[in-house]
Amino acid sequence: IPLSTAFVLICAMLIAISLSRIHLKIKSKLQISNGISRSTPIPVIVFDLATGAVIEANKPSSILFQIPLEQFTGVNAWTLFAEQDDIEYVKNAMTSDFPVQNYEVMMKKHSSTSFWCTLSVNPIQIKENLYVILGAYDISHRKDLELKLEHNAKTLELQVQERTKAIEEQSKKLEE
């Protein structure tokens, strides 16, 4: 074998070994990432920004949105939002590479039932495609309590006004 051919073969083998090591590193990082997504109790959805096509969702997402896990990849993530304004806000933030943290929004379950969520959303670029990693937390119970508290505060304020008016009227009667 000529020396130049041997050199080319050795270089090709070294490149192949290097690519194999890089591939293993990428594969292991992907497995770690998928493992984190699957093991977290927080609903996590990964979808294509342009099309809304879900490419990955974990079990808590399936439970929260009432969509069987094996069917989640056929869902358009934008249909999970209840309001068009929220969709536009998230899309604009993602195209501006601006992560969204603790954004309160109305979402929809598969049954079209609306519920309150707080979202954390981050863009991720893979080759030419822009994807979205969305973490969701159901805050419906908290929102219900906030509404009850607001109602109770208004009721109390009305009762205080009525009581104050009654006391003032009695005070006037006593003065006469």
Side-chain angles (χ1 to χ4, degrees):
I1 299 178
L3 189 58
S4 62
T5 305
F7 179 73
V8 169
L9 287 174
I10 291 172
C11 286
M13 284 182 9
L14 290 174
I15 290 171
I17 291 170
S18 294
L19 288 175
S20 177
R21 287 182 182 162
I22 291 170
H23 176 74
L24 285 175
K25 284 182 182 179
I26 291 171
K27 187 176 177 182
S28 67
K29 286 186 180 191
L30 181 61
Q31 288 173 337
I32 290 169
S33 176
N34 286 341
I36 291 169
S37 173
R38 288 188 190 108
S39 65
T40 183
I42 304 296
V44 176
I45 302 170
V46 180
F47 62 94
D48 185 292
L49 177 68
T51 65
V54 173
I55 60 170
E56 183 73 34
N58 63 358
K59 181 81 172 159
S61 296
S62 172
I63 294 166
L64 179 63
F65 291 99
Q66 298 174 341
I67 300 171
L69 191 56
E70 59 277 0
Q71 295 175 12
F72 222 120
T73 54
V75 170
N76 182 323
W78 299 123
T79 64
L80 301 174
F81 286 77
E83 301 291 332
Q84 185 64 35
D85 289 346
D86 294 321
I87 294 171
E88 295 306 318
Y89 176 79
V90 171
K91 282 182 177 180
N92 290 336
M94 295 302 97
T95 55
S96 302
D97 197 27
F98 179 74
V100 175
Q101 300 295 319
N102 300 318
Y103 182 60
E104 292 185 6
V105 60
M106 288 293 286
M107 299 295 280
K108 291 189 297 190
K109 295 183 184 289
H110 189 61
S111 63
S112 295
T113 305
S114 295
F115 66 102
W116 281 100
C117 255
T118 184
L119 303 180
S120 291
V121 189
N122 289 287
I124 182 169
Q125 183 91 30
I126 302 175
K127 295 185 182 178
E128 305 85 39
N129 295 333
L130 191 57
Y131 295 95
V132 176
I133 300 174
L134 179 147
Y137 186 73
D138 186 350
I139 58 169
S140 297
H141 183 67
R142 189 190 90 199
K143 284 294 191 177
D144 289 343
L145 291 175
E146 286 176 4
L147 289 173
K148 286 178 185 175
L149 184 60
E150 183 180 333
H151 173 74
N152 289 344
K154 286 179 182 177
T155 301
L156 181 60
E157 186 177 331
L158 287 174
Q159 289 174 346
V160 167
Q161 287 174 355
E162 289 171 3
R163 184 71 178 136
T164 302
K165 184 177 178 183
I167 290 172
E168 287 173 351
E169 287 174 359
Q170 279 203 319
S171 177
K172 283 183 182 179
K173 284 183 184 176
L174 287 175
E175 288 177 2
E176 296 175 356

